[in-house]
Every structure is written in C-alpha cells, then in structure tokens.
C-alpha cells in the first residue's frame, strides 16, 4: 500500500499526539452540528407553521432550501477544499453555518427563514466532506480507522439526538432556540479547528475545470429538486419528470466530459479502484435505506405509539447505543477479519434489525422497537465507519476532499430517493389498506385521512367517538402494514449490498495509484 504523503501535510509528523486527538474532537463537533440540524427541523416544523404563519409550501421549502444547497454544492466544496486548503474552507463553512443559524433564530417571516436555511446548506456543503477529508493528514494509517469512526459517529449520532433536543427546546424556550443552539456548538468547532487542526491541500493543483463544475452542480441540483417535489406532485408530474430526467441527462454529460478532460473537476477514474467503488456502493445503498427508514420511523413512534417530540427522541436512544457499541466493535472486526467480512457482517446485522422492525404492530409495545433500533444501530456502527475509512484510504492525498465530497453527494442523492421511493411504497400500502374503512366519511375528510397518518388522527377530532375509535385503529394498522413493507424492502436491499460486498470488495485496501481496476 502506498504511503505517499504530500509535502504540505508534514503536520502529521510534527504535531503532538495529544494535539491530534483534541483536533479530532473539534472535527467530531463539526459533524455533530450537521446531524443535529437534519432532524431538529423535522420536529420543529409544526411550531414554525404556527409562529411564522408558514403555508404548506413554505414548510416544504424551509426543508428543501437546505437540501438543495447541500446536495448541489457538496462537490464544489470538496474540490475547493483540496485546492485552497481544507482547514480554511472548513472554517468558512462553520462560520457560514453559525451566522445563518443565528439569523434564522431571529427572522419573522417564512421567506427569510428559507433564505437562511439555504445559507446553512452552503455551510454544510463545506463542513460535511472536509471534516473527514482532513483526517488522513492528521493520523497514520494505523490510527485513521479510530479517527474516522469517531468523526462518522459524531455526524450520525446527531440524527436521533435531534428530536430529543428539539422537543426539550420547544417545550422550554421560544421556537428560535432550535436554530440558536447551533451557535455555541459552532463556536466550539471554530476554536478547535482554528487552533488544533493542521492545514492541508493539494500542493500542485491542476487547472480548474469550470465546465465540469457547472455540469455537476446543475445535474445534482436538478435531480434532488425533482425528488423533493415528487411527494407533492407524484412521479408522473411534468415538473418532477423534467427535473429528474433533465438532471440525469446533465450528469451523463458531466461523466462524459469528466472522463475525457485532462484536468477533470472530480476524477471519476477513481472508480477503477475496486475498494473505492464497492465501499462507496455500500455507503450509498445504506444511505438510501437509512434515511428512508428514519423518515418513516419518526411518525410511527410519535403518532402511532403516541409520543411527543421529546419522548420520541428518548425512544431513539437504543439506536445511539447500538451505533456506539458497533463502532467500537467494527474496528476490532476489521483488524481481525478484514474489511470485506466486517462490512458485510455489519450490513447483515443492520438487515436483521430491519426485519425485526417489520414485525412490530400497534399493540406490541416499545420492547420490539427498542431491540430493532439497537440491532440496526449496531450493524450500522460496524459497517459505515469502515466504509468511510476504506474510501479515505484509497484516495490520493491531494484528492481526499473531492473524493469524500463525491461519496457524500452520491449518498445525498440516494437518501433523497430513499425518502421519496420508500415513502411512495408506504403511501400506497397505507392508502390501499385504509380505503375500505372510509366509506361513510364525507369526501373532504376521506381524502384528508388517506393523505397521511397525522391527518387521519386529526380527522378523528371531527367525528363522534363511536366512529373515531375504529378509524384510528384502521389508520394505525394501515400505516404499520406500510412500515412493515418498507422495512422488508430496505432489508432486502441491504442484504443484496452485503452479498455484493462479500464477493467484490477486496480484503486489503489499495491506493488508487495501484491501478486496482474494477
């Protein structure tokens, strides 16, 4: 395995050992703030609707503005970090995110909040890839797996912690606190990165490919926009189809341009390396299943099981515990069994947790839910940090920002499709199974109840108790049937990924320069 280290990364040798681990803590905090923000907003949307007078379209764009900016600018963020300095651009991203968060906590209109959410997405597009891409310049190959595990766990743990934090803040403080809470976390990250993290970049940057950048940004943004619009307008809507297929066409043009360009925006020839290709595939497929499942899981715990936002966060704690234990165990497995077996095993454990989740019902209680969350988290803790370490281990030192951004962008697209596709499966099962129980309702109430499980519970307020009870039970049962189907589909997808990893992922990671062809 090549141990070539670029000259500008000499801090890896000279920086004191303790300093490196304190610097890692700053990077973990950087990732944590992004994970927290992703799910804090979901919990806060009903409150924002009431306080800002936001319409349904406004609420959609409060979330979508962030997602579009993040997805579209991930690749430029990583590439520019490699070119101008990863620490420098990470500091810029943190500052943008922090300032936008403070401004978001003080706005008085939905339009202003949408603008601040877009700016937060710009900051996140720098933070997400660069907080990981710095690690190879700070740690040796022996230390890097532990460092990657800590950084990845920080970002992932923010997802289940978000509802818990948001519920507590909204209970005790004004709605702006869900954004203002980012400020002290960002300040800690800024100070840690500024004083402890070494600078690293490509010492010999190539000519910048402006055409490739434009094609990549337009293509990714169009695809993500189409997927965001799909839940409202459906897959047959002209705008959705134009955005998805138009964006896909632009991305095909980007690939063709990139492979022929002497100085490509992102070097797609890295996919000739089997380790990079299959680790990225595992990361992307897991993102598809994970984000789709998280999107569907929260309404089940909150609405079907009858928990408020804070209690929902508490009930996600087994997922956090599973991830932490799995992350520690994953390093041991990778060392003793090799990356192929450890990643494959982690994915199979995740699938087992999803299958267990498919067996929950309206009256099974929380026990099976908690066990399923813990098992799924344990599998994810084994698999995801190891795949990230493989990706960083294969990339040339001068391309860690661009390579990390590429895998993150692919995961972001996959996660958007996961929410849309798995959400469509859930919706179809829910609507089909509930339809026969709505025969006696007025047309307006019938249409509302079929729209979502939350709307069905709201409809009950307009019905006498004798009719409301059966409707709630039928709606809950229909949602659980849809959830079970989604969990089984996700489990099957993860199992396929595990089998492919076990067959094709090399046991030993080789650098891109080794020419390890697919």
């Amino acid at each position: 395995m090549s141990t070539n280290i670029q000259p500008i990364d000499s801090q890896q040798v000279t920086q004191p050992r303790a300093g490196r681990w304190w610097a890692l803590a700053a990077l973990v905090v950087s990732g944590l703030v992004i994970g927290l923000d992703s799910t804090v907003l979901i919990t806060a949307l009903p409150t924002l609707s009431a306080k800002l007078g936001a319409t349904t379209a406004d609420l959609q764009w409060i979330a979508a503005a962030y997602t579009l900016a993040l997805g579209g600018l991930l690749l430029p963020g990583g590439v520019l970090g490699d070119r101008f300095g990863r620490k420098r651009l990470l500091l810029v991203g943190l500052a943008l995110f922090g300032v936008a968060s403070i401004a978001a906590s003080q706005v008085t209109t939905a339009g202003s909040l949408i603008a601040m959410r877009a700016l937060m997405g710009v900051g996140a597009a720098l933070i997400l890839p660069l907080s990981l891409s710095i690690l190879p310049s700070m740690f040796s190959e022996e230390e890097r797996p532990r460092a990657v595990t800590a950084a990845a766990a920080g970002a992932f743990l923010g997802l289940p912690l978000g509802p818990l934090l948001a519920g507590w803040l909204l209970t005790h403080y004004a709605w702006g606190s869900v954004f203002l809470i980012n400020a002290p976390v960002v300040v800690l990250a800024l100070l840690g990165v500024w004083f402890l993290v070494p600078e690293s970049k490509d010492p010999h940057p190539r000519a910048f490919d402006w055409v490739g950048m434009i094609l990549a940004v337009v293509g990714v943004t169009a695809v993500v926009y189409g997927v965001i619009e799909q839940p409202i307008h459906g897959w047959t809507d002209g705008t959705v189809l134009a955005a998805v297929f138009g964006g896909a066409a632009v991305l095909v043009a980007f690939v063709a341009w990139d492979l022929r360009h002497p100085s490509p925006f992102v070097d797609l020839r890295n996919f000739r390396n089997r380790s990079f290709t299959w680790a990225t595939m595992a990361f992307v497929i897991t993102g598809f299943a994970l984000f789709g499942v998280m999107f569907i899981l929260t309404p089940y715990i909150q609405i079907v099981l009858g928990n408020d936002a804070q209690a929902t966060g508490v009930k996600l704690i087994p997922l956090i515990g599973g991830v932490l234990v799995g992350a520690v165990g994953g390093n041991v497995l990778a060392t003793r069994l090799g990356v192929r077996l450890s990643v494959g095993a982690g994915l199979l454990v995740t699938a087992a947790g999803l299958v267990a989740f498919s067996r929950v019902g309206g009256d099974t209680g929380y026990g099976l839910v908690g066990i399923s969350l813990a098992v799924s988290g344990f599998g994810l803790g084994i698999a995801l940090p190891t795949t990230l370490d493989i990706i960083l281990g294969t990339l040339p030192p001068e391309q860690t920002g661009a390579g990390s951004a590429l895998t993150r962008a692919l995961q972001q697209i996959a996660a958007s499709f996961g929410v849309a596709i798995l959400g469509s499966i859930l919706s179809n099962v829910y609507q089909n199974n509930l339809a026969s129980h709505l025969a006696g309702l007025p047309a307006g109430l019938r249409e509302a109840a079929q729209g979502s499980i939350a709307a069905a519970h709201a409809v009950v307020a307009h019905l006498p108790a004798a009719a409301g009870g059966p409707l709630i039970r039928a709606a809950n049962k229909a949602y659980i049937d849809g959830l079970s189907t989604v969990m089984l589909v996700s489990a099957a997808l993860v199992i396929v990924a595990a089998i492919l990893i076990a067959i094709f992922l090399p046991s030993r990671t080789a650098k891109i320069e080794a020419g390890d062809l697919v």
Side-chain angles (χ1 to χ4, degrees):
M1 182 181 295
S2 170
T3 57
N4 176 46
I5 299 176
Q6 52 186 306
I8 201 164
D9 286 334
S10 59
Q11 294 95 327
Q12 180 172 336
V13 178
T14 61
Q15 192 184 24
R17 182 181 182 87
R20 291 207 300 279
W21 294 105
W22 280 111
L24 174 64
L27 296 177
V28 170
V29 173
S30 301
L32 178 63
V33 72
I34 301 300
L36 280 172
D37 187 74
S38 299
T39 49
V40 161
L41 182 70
I42 296 174
T43 308
L45 282 176
T47 302
L48 295 179
S49 177
K51 298 296 184 181
L52 297 179
T55 64
T56 301
D58 290 334
L59 294 177
Q60 178 202 4
W61 277 105
I62 289 171
Y66 176 88
T67 304
L68 277 176
L70 172 60
L73 297 178
L74 270 170
L75 283 174
V79 173
L80 293 175
D82 286 341
R83 190 176 186 85
F84 297 109
R86 299 173 189 119
K87 172 182 175 177
R88 181 178 300 153
L89 269 292
L90 178 57
L91 288 170
V92 171
L94 287 167
L96 279 175
F97 194 90
V99 170
S101 296
I102 294 171
S105 71
Q106 303 300 313
V107 300
T108 56
T109 65
S112 299
L113 182 56
I114 291 169
M116 291 304 101
R117 288 290 296 169
L119 188 58
M120 290 170 71
V122 176
L126 294 170
I127 298 169
L128 202 56
L130 296 179
S131 58
L132 281 176
S133 67
I134 291 175
L135 297 180
S137 69
M138 293 169 53
F139 297 93
S140 67
E141 290 186 8
E142 292 73 25
E143 295 172 327
R144 193 186 62 228
R146 283 183 292 158
V148 171
T149 296
F156 181 79
L157 291 179
L159 298 176
L161 283 174
L164 177 60
L165 179 63
W168 184 79
L169 289 172
L170 292 172
T171 300
H172 297 92
Y173 301 99
W175 67 267
S177 61
V178 299
F179 298 112
L180 194 59
I181 193 65
N182 291 333
V185 181
V186 168
V187 169
L188 285 175
L190 277 169
L191 291 174
V193 172
W194 182 278
F195 289 107
L196 298 173
V197 172
E199 182 59 281
S200 66
K201 63 180 179 180
D202 183 356
H204 306 293
R206 301 170 296 182
F208 193 77
D209 178 16
W210 289 98
V211 174
M213 185 190 75
I214 293 170
L215 290 173
V217 171
V218 171
V220 173
T221 303
V223 170
V224 173
Y225 172 76
V227 176
I228 288 172
E229 290 289 295
Q230 181 276 328
I232 296 176
H233 303 292
W235 288 110
T236 59
D237 178 73
T239 301
V240 172
L241 292 175
V244 172
F245 285 104
V250 173
L251 289 177
V252 170
F254 163 70
V255 172
W257 173 272
D258 189 271
L259 293 176
R260 289 171 172 79
H261 199 280
S263 177
F265 177 63
V266 177
D267 197 347
L268 296 178
R269 287 166 292 192
N270 289 339
F271 282 107
R272 293 175 180 173
N273 181 281
R274 288 172 56 200
S275 296
F276 181 81
T277 297
W278 290 102
T280 299
M281 188 275 288
F283 192 61
V284 168
I285 287 182
T286 306
F288 176 97
L290 172 64
F291 281 86
V293 166
M294 284 290 291
F295 178 78
I296 290 164
L297 175 62
T298 302
Y300 169 75
I301 295 177
Q302 195 162 0
I303 299 173
V304 176
L305 296 186
N307 296 282
D308 60 20
Q310 192 168 346
T312 298
V314 171
K315 286 181 166 54
L316 289 172
I317 288 177
L319 182 65
I320 301 173
V323 169
L324 292 176
V325 175
V328 174
N331 283 331
V332 177
L333 283 177
T335 301
R336 295 185 178 179
L337 303 179
V339 294
R340 176 167 58 190
L341 291 179
S342 64
V343 173
L347 293 176
L348 288 176
V349 171
T350 301
L354 295 175
V355 171
F357 225 123
S358 72
R359 310 307 301 167
V360 302
D363 55 355
T364 54
Y366 176 71
L368 182 57
V369 174
I371 292 171
S372 303
L373 286 171
V375 172
S376 297
F378 181 68
L380 290 170
I382 293 173
L384 288 184
T386 303
T387 60
L388 286 171
D389 183 58
I390 294 169
I391 291 166
L392 289 176
T394 59
L395 289 168
E398 68 275 8
Q399 293 186 32
T400 56
S404 298
L406 177 60
T407 57
R408 289 288 189 177
L410 291 173
Q411 189 201 45
Q412 183 70 27
I413 294 173
S416 299
F417 273 103
V419 172
I421 293 174
L422 297 179
S424 293
I425 293 172
L426 171 69
S427 180
N428 287 335
V429 174
Y430 172 78
Q431 291 176 4
N432 291 336
N433 290 8
L434 184 61
S436 62
H437 299 273
L438 302 175
L441 291 181
L445 294 181
R446 184 167 62 247
E447 183 178 345
Q450 279 200 299
S452 69
I453 183 66
H457 278 246
V459 163
V460 171
H462 301 277
L463 300 175
L471 175 58
I472 286 295
R473 288 190 291 273
N476 288 348
K477 176 64 165 55
Y479 191 89
I480 291 169
D481 290 341
L483 180 145
S484 297
T485 302
V486 166
M487 294 294 174
L488 291 175
V489 169
S490 300
L493 190 62
V494 173
I495 289 171
V496 169
I499 294 171
L500 292 174
I501 289 295
I503 296 173
F504 295 110
L505 180 67
S507 295
R508 298 178 63 84
T509 300
K511 286 282 187 185
I512 296 291
E513 294 88 349
D516 187 13
L517 301 180
V518 177

